[in-house]
Amino acid sequence: MSLSRFKLLRPRTVDEAIDYLAQYGGDVDASGPLVQTQQRLRIIAGGTDLIPSMRQKLFEPEYVLDIRHIVELNGIHEQGSEVIIGALTPLSTIEHSELLRRRYPVLAEAASTVASPVIRNMGTIGGNICLDTRCLWYNQSLAWRKACGFCIKKDGDLCHVAPGGTKCWAAFSADTPPALLCLNAEVEIATPSGTRRLALRDFYTGIGDNYRRLQPNELLTRIFLPAESADYRGVYRKLRIRGSIDYPLAGVAVAIKRSNGHVADVRIALTAVNPAPVLVKGAAEMLAGKAFNETLAEAVADLAAKTAKPLTTSALTPEYRREMIRVFTKRALLPSND
Ligand SMILES: Cc1cc2nc3c(=O)[nH]c(=O)nc-3n(C[C@H](O)[C@H](O)[C@H](O)COP(=O)(O)OP(=O)(O)OC[C@H]3O[C@@H](n4cnc5c(N)ncnc54)[C@H](O)[C@@H]3O)c2cc1C
Ligand code: SF4
């Protein structure tokens, strides 16, 4: 599977990147970002997902914006009470960072489960946050998709997963965003008119073929971790087919704060079972101020399973993936994980 021809653009600064995006990124749509597969320019960071997708002709951009040489976007540092992570920071740096392992362990653990060591050395946190949604009917070669009549996400007008519908349900399948949601992380977006900052939970749309709020002339530049989320105990559990290297087919991140043997706060987020990573609403209310016990953990695990809406987008059945959300949540909550 060869790559189609494209023109490579190589900025050295965020300003240069924004100039290129303004010039070649294409039209900004006031009603929302363009469907990803139609964009004429693609940003490349580590390239670990973009290049295989381009080989499969899922993206056929005229321009590729290679941001790897923007040094200012690589690294982790403390500023005041918050921690700032540049979008180009490799996942392996996040996995091994002493600062993150101590203050935000759920993020370091989630990063350590992505793919394999080689891919974590190349793949970036920005690319992980912006990762395209996945589906059994979409992540295939052009010949395979053509033989099936294509689908709404790329080149077609029907959905094999929810026939008769008009929406794409491809699953958001990255590991670090649920951990970041538990930490109340914010992201910085560079635009031609300056930068804006938004909560990560507002970055995703929940629509499989148009999954993130990022215009064609915008770049995700930084991630902010607030001080109030430091020191939560964190656990990330993931279901995958090949233990050594695979995308999640269900994932649960849990961050818990305790006080005097009671739960002071808990945040739970899911990945790979909806078109966006999602926080489990109501978990903190069920647990706050209470001492942990098995019955309570089961009730919260039920809530997490109800939040998961897996469909037939992957090789494992929706029923099994939903059940594993329940199992992982319960295991993550029980004090034996402390
Ligand atoms: C065999 C294999 C296994 C994998 N397993 C996993 C896994 O277990 N878990 C997992 O989460 N991922 C997995 N991946 C996917 C991928 O390796 C990671 O998600 C990685 O973090 C992507 O980062 P990247 O820098 O390589 O992104 P790229 O491939 O460069 O980009 C990914 C997407 O993000 C966009 N993008 C990148 N950076 C920015 C930015 N700063 N601003 C705006 N848009 C941006 C790109 O345009 C593209 O759409 C796997 C990939 C492979 C090939
Ligand atoms: S959910 Fe439907 S439209 Fe979306 S990628 Fe899968 S088959 Fe295509």
Side-chain angles (χ1 to χ4, degrees):
M1 285 185 282
S2 59
L3 288 173
S4 305
R5 290 178 74 86
F6 56 84
K7 187 159 183 194
L8 188 64
L9 309 168
R10 284 201 153 147
R12 299 259 163 192
T13 63
V14 171
D15 287 348
E16 257 179 65
I18 291 299
D19 284 348
Y20 279 134
L21 285 167
Q23 211 176 333
Y24 302 110
D27 296 335
V28 174
D29 184 351
S31 63
L34 262 186
V35 169
Q36 310 294 321
T37 50
Q38 294 169 5
Q39 291 187 0
R40 67 196 280 245
L41 179 150
R42 298 297 312 185
I43 294 167
I44 188 167
T48 59
D49 194 70
L50 188 75
I51 295 294
S53 300
M54 284 173 60
R55 287 189 192 281
Q56 290 181 320
K57 307 285 183 285
L58 297 174
F59 302 121
E60 296 166 286
E62 280 172 68
Y63 301 95
V64 171
L65 185 75
D66 177 3
I67 58 173
R68 276 175 297 184
H69 303 285
I70 307 181
V71 181
E72 63 188 289
L73 295 186
N74 190 343
I76 304 168
H77 63 275
E78 289 176 279
Q79 186 172 288
S81 58
E82 59 187 8
V83 169
I84 304 177
I85 307 177
L88 287 175
T89 308
L91 291 165
S92 54
T93 304
I94 289 168
E95 172 188 2
H96 297 298
S97 157
E98 275 309 312
L99 175 67
L100 297 181
R101 288 164 84 115
R102 183 167 36 84
R103 293 187 63 190
Y104 304 102
V106 70
L107 177 59
E109 188 182 359
S112 75
T113 71
V114 174
S116 66
V118 172
I119 290 180
R120 292 198 292 277
N121 280 339
M122 289 185 71
T124 64
I125 182 92
N128 202 241
I129 291 171
C130 293
L131 191 68
D132 193 13
T133 52
R134 296 183 64 79
C135 176
L136 201 57
W137 300 90
Y138 168 73
N139 296 98
Q140 303 287 355
S141 67
L142 178 62
W144 196 104
R145 289 182 288 114
K146 191 174 178 190
C148 294
F150 297 110
C151 75
I152 293 168
K153 190 158 161 73
K154 174 77 177 150
D155 297 329
D157 57 6
L158 59 98
C159 175
H160 303 283
V161 168
T166 53
K167 184 180 166 184
C168 169
W169 296 94
F172 183 81
S173 307
D175 287 302
T176 65
L180 291 166
L181 287 181
C182 287
L183 298 174
N184 276 340
E186 293 186 343
V187 288
E188 179 189 78
I189 311 287
T191 80
S193 54
T195 58
R196 65 190 164 94
R197 202 164 143 166
L198 80 159
L200 184 66
R201 65 177 170 275
D202 297 328
F203 183 66
Y204 299 106
T205 62
I207 302 167
D209 59 342
N210 200 359
Y211 59 97
R212 56 186 193 184
R213 294 195 170 86
L214 197 70
Q215 292 287 353
N217 60 2
E218 295 180 335
L219 175 72
L220 189 144
T221 42
R222 291 181 181 83
I223 299 106
F224 299 88
L225 305 179
E228 57 90 13
S229 295
D231 311 321
Y232 276 57
R233 179 179 71 84
V235 179
Y236 180 67
R237 294 287 175 266
K238 154 177 184 179
L239 175 69
R240 52 184 156 181
I241 292 181
R242 297 168 298 179
S244 55
I245 174 170
D246 233 333
Y247 293 85
L249 297 182
V252 181
V254 174
I256 306 175
K257 190 171 205 162
R258 290 174 193 277
S259 160
N260 298 326
H262 288 74
V263 178
D265 190 21
V266 61
R267 300 167 190 164
I268 303 172
L270 313 180
T271 191
V273 283
N274 298 74
V278 286
L279 278 161
V280 176
K281 289 190 189 133
E285 290 74 8
M286 281 174 89
L287 288 171
K290 299 187 183 138
F292 247 114
N293 62 50
E294 187 141 350
T295 315
L296 213 46
E298 264 166 23
V300 177
D302 279 348
L303 191 64
K306 280 189 192 124
T307 307
K309 307 271 185 268
L311 295 172
T312 52
T313 52
S314 77
L316 298 179
T317 65
E319 293 77 14
Y320 181 60
R321 286 157 64 209
R322 190 182 298 110
E323 184 55 25
M324 288 313 290
I325 291 286
R326 186 196 317 277
V327 170
F328 286 152
T329 307
K330 185 178 165 193
R331 282 186 196 157
L333 287 171
L334 288 175
S336 58
N337 280 306
D338 277 338

